[in-house]
Amino acid sequence: AQTVTQSQPEMSVQEAETVTLSCTYDTSENNYYLFWYKQPPSRQMILVIRQEAYKQQNATENRFSVNFQKAAKSFSLKISDSQLGDTAMYFCAFIDTNAGKSTFGDGTTLTVKP
Amino acid sequence: ETGVTQTPRHLVMGMTNKKSLKCEQHLGHNAMYWYKQSAKKPLELMFVYNFKEQTENNSVPSRFSPECPNSSHLFLHLHTLQPEDSALYLCASSQEVLGLEIEETQYFGPGTRLLVL
C-alpha cells in the first residue's frame, strides 16, 4: 500500500520570501505520478504542479518548483516570492499508474503573512 | 473554471432523506472520482470509474451509491446518511486510469458541502 506523509501540519512565511513544503511517500511501484494541489479557503482543489516518476528533471511552474528525490522518495514543493494568495492548504498526492489509485497526504496549511 | 461542475453546491438533509449529488466534466476525460473531505482531514477516495466501469470502491458504506451513466456524468446517491457523513464531497476527472503515457492529472470540481442533520 502507498502512503504519503506531510510532516508539517502548519507553516507560515513572510510575503515575498521562499518556503518549502515537505512530502515523503512510500511505494514499491516504479511508475507513478506525484502532484501538489492547493486548496484555498474556497475549498476548490487546484493543481499546482505535477512530476512524472520517470523524469529526472524537477518540474517547475512559475514560482512553484519541486525537488524530486526518487531514491529517497521525497517530493518537496518550493514556493518562491510568496504571495498572500498562496495562503491555502497544500496536499501532496501520489498516483499509482498501474492500479489507477490515488493517495493524498494530510495536508500542510500555509499562511503567507503581509 | 476547471471544466468539472458539481451540483448542488450546498445540501442539507435529514437522516431519512434521499438525495443525489451530480458531477459533470466537460474535458473529454474517461475516468471520474468521488472523494470525501471531512473537516481537517485528508481526502478520502471513495469511488473510481474508468470508461463507465467502477474500478475502485474504498470500503464505502452502502448508504452511498455511485452511478456513472456515461463518461461525462457521475452521480452519488445518498440514502439514510448519518451526521458523521457531513463533509465536502469532491468530484474529479482524469483522462484515464491506466496507461503510463496518458495524462493522469485529476481535475477537481468545486465540491458539494453536505450537512446531515
Side-chain angles (χ1 to χ4, degrees), chain A residues 31-33 35 37 39 41-47 50 54 89 91 95-107, chain B residues 2 9 33 35 37-38 41-43 45 48 56 58 88 90 97-110 113:
Chain A
N31 298 324
Y32 52 89
Y33 290 75
F35 301 84
Y37 282 93
Q39 189 179 42
S42 67
R43 307 300 296 275
Q44 175 91 45
M45 291 284 284
I46 302 166
L47 176 68
R50 77 171 213 157
Y54 60 89
M89 179 169 277
F91 291 95
I95 292 183
D96 177 344
T97 305
N98 292 328
K101 186 170 183 177
S102 54
T103 304
F104 283 75
D106 289 354
Chain B
T2 63
R9 296 293 307 276
Y33 311 76
Y35 287 90
Q37 187 180 28
S38 304
K41 287 186 179 180
L43 286 158
L45 179 65
V48 179
E56 183 84 21
N58 240 12
L88 179 72
L90 291 164
V97 174
L98 301 176
L100 183 62
E101 298 301 324
I102 301 297
E103 174 69 50
E104 298 289 358
T105 302
Q106 293 182 32
Y107 295 87
F108 285 81
R113 193 178 300 274

Side-chain angles (χ1 to χ4, degrees), chain B residues 26-37:
Chain B
H26 314 273
L27 302 170
H29 288 165
N30 296 305
M32 297 187 77
Y33 311 76
W34 278 118
Y35 287 90
K36 174 184 178 182
Q37 187 180 28

Side-chain angles (χ1 to χ4, degrees), chain B residues 68-117:
Chain B
C68 188
N70 54 62
S71 294
S72 299
H73 294 84
L74 184 65
F75 295 89
L76 187 61
H77 303 299
L78 315 173
H79 177 50
T80 59
L81 296 191
Q82 304 299 311
E84 59 264 30
D85 295 324
S86 298
L88 179 72
Y89 289 85
L90 291 164
C91 172
S93 72
S94 68
Q95 183 67 38
E96 187 176 319
V97 174
L98 301 176
L100 183 62
E101 298 301 324
I102 301 297
E103 174 69 50
E104 298 289 358
T105 302
Q106 293 182 32
Y107 295 87
F108 285 81
T112 295
R113 193 178 300 274
L114 173 67
L115 176 62
V116 182
L117 300 177

